[in-house]
Amino acid sequence: MGAGQRQPVTRLSRGLATAIRVQMARRGMDMTTLASAAGLSLPYVSKRLAGQYVFTVFDIEQVAHALDMEPEGLMAAAVEEAAAMPADVGD
């Protein structure tokens, strides 16, 4: 993938978005608060949670810390969410 090209949204990236939303709900955190705590813009986070774009490794680290989690824990939750999705979602 070259610069500026969109990466495909996979089942794992959709699982990550779901895991983030679950963790936000558990904490009573809205998207604006998450974006601010992660040091990311609201439109940036919104597009990724909507599945229009994928989160980068840097994003995952920032979002995990904003959720008071380790990145590994967030990714483990993402894998679980992805495994529960139908096979045709995001692949």
Side-chain angles (χ1 to χ4, degrees):
M1 295 259 138
Q5 289 183 323
R6 231 187 245 198
Q7 295 182 4
V9 177
T10 64
R11 189 179 337 165
L12 181 57
S13 59
R14 290 193 188 281
L16 176 60
T18 300
I20 291 168
R21 285 192 298 273
V22 166
Q23 293 302 320
M24 289 169 56
R26 286 184 180 160
R27 289 161 177 75
M29 182 182 283
D30 63 20
M31 201 180 310
T32 301
T33 304
L34 176 68
S36 177
L40 303 169
S41 74
L42 179 57
Y44 185 91
V45 171
S46 176
K47 288 177 183 177
R48 279 144 186 84
L49 287 177
Q52 296 173 337
Y53 294 92
V54 297
F55 285 97
T56 67
V57 172
F58 175 80
D59 299 337
I60 294 166
E61 291 175 344
Q62 295 301 105
V63 168
H65 292 133
L67 293 168
D68 198 27
M69 298 179 73
E70 291 298 320
E72 298 85 353
L74 182 56
M75 287 307 301
V79 168
E80 288 179 17
E81 292 291 345
M85 292 180 176
D88 62 342
V89 174
D91 285 335

